[in-house]
Amino acid sequence: MVARADQTTDPGLQEELLQARRGTAFFARKLNELTDGELDGGSLLPGWTRRHVVAHVGYNARAIARLVEWAGTGVETPMYPSIAVRDHEINFGATLSPIALRNLFDHSAVHLSVEWRDLPDRDWANEVKTIQGRTVPATETVWMRTREVWIHAVDLGNGATFADIPEPVLERLLRDITSAWANRGTDAGLVIRVTGTDLVFGDTNAAHPVTVSGPLAGVAAWAAGRTAGAGCFGVTAAGGTEVLSDVPAAPKWI
Ligand code: ZN
């Protein structure tokens, strides 16, 4: 008999799986609001139509499912053979018929969800490798997907904003992005402050920092390189006590 519930008994992981599936449902909702014709329209990502976004999110689910299979079987199956293959796949996917594109999203999401569901507790710590070459436990695949579905739902450009993304996801995203900057040293002189909270990130030891501050959703959108269309609202920058007229562009994230 096929299990109907997740095999993992870890409450933290169950909560994370819920967040990933909620994000998937949110992406599905925004996708369903688009007519077939509207899929040809531009997304918030430069050079990408909505078709590219849907194809990418579909193939991403397949790629992450390969990592979960790897964790379960021990047989090494990379996300993609190479970045070139991944990019080629997205460009090909963007040419699919609307029905095929929608099926790609639906089927790949269900497939990934089943792979997660059937992974037993003992295998979640098994290590796999991301396309960036990072070695991570299988549990990380849940966050990798969570991030993708929530952000790319906004990128579809039909009304979703970062304010639709749950706060725990936004906070983790901001931590991810700012720690990537710190690892590369691209955050020199930059402090990020979330108003109404005690969340502070970035180069907090800088003598004369530029401080970017705003509400969590706005600051997360800014940090992810998304602008007003994605809900980057209420974000201001200051150098010392002087308010800057322009908020600097965030360092590159990916
Ligand atoms: Zn992506």
Side-chain angles (χ1 to χ4, degrees):
M1 193 175 138
V2 179
R4 293 288 170 88
D6 290 319
Q7 293 222 27
T8 181
T9 54
D10 177 336
L13 185 54
Q14 287 170 341
E15 181 62 31
E16 285 187 40
L17 285 163
L18 185 63
Q19 212 69 281
R21 290 177 177 130
R22 277 194 187 133
T24 303
F26 184 68
F27 186 95
R29 176 146 69 84
K30 298 315 289 180
L31 175 56
N32 287 337
E33 287 171 13
L34 291 165
T35 64
D36 287 350
E38 285 169 341
L39 290 175
D40 298 336
S43 74
L44 298 191
L45 294 174
W48 272 19
T49 65
R50 288 172 173 139
R51 289 168 157 277
H52 289 87
V53 174
V54 178
H56 165 55
V57 170
Y59 291 128
N60 169 266
R62 286 191 184 167
I64 291 178
R66 284 194 278 274
L67 295 185
V68 183
E69 286 164 33
W70 176 356
T73 62
V75 178
E76 182 165 346
T77 43
M79 291 182 77
Y80 307 95
S82 69
I83 291 184
V85 168
R86 185 199 69 160
D87 293 347
H88 178 78
E89 191 177 50
I90 294 168
N91 287 328
F92 164 76
T95 68
L96 292 172
S97 69
I99 183 85
L101 206 50
R102 293 177 194 277
N103 283 338
L104 168 64
F105 169 76
D106 289 340
H107 294 168
S108 63
V110 169
H111 175 62
L112 174 57
S113 185
V114 168
E115 291 293 339
W116 278 333
R117 185 194 68 193
D118 294 344
L119 196 66
D121 274 327
R122 65 168 187 274
D123 288 337
W124 280 96
N126 292 349
E127 290 185 329
V128 294
K129 209 183 288 171
T130 71
I131 191 166
Q132 288 93 6
R134 277 193 313 139
T135 299
V136 296
T139 46
E140 183 78 8
T141 62
V142 181
W143 170 242
M144 287 162 63
R145 180 63 175 171
T146 300
R147 202 166 75 172
E148 286 291 306
V149 284
W150 283 109
I151 297 179
H152 289 316
V154 176
D155 289 332
L156 285 174
N158 62 327
T161 71
F162 272 58
D164 293 310
I165 303 178
E167 286 191 0
V169 174
L170 290 173
E171 193 179 321
R172 186 161 174 188
L173 181 64
L174 199 50
R175 273 182 209 290
D176 252 33
I177 296 174
T178 52
S179 69
W181 294 343
N183 288 337
R184 292 180 206 139
T186 53
D187 64 347
L190 193 60
V191 169
I192 297 92
R193 206 175 274 282
V194 181
T195 48
T197 74
D198 48 19
L199 296 174
V200 182
F201 305 96
D203 188 8
T204 48
N205 294 319
H208 304 287
V210 167
T211 303
V212 172
S213 47
L216 181 59
V219 169
W222 167 82
R226 268 70 173 179
T227 52
C232 179
F233 304 122
V235 178
T236 59
T241 55
E242 188 195 346
V243 176
L244 305 177
S245 53
D246 286 311
V247 177
K252 263 178 71 81
W253 165 38
I254 291 184

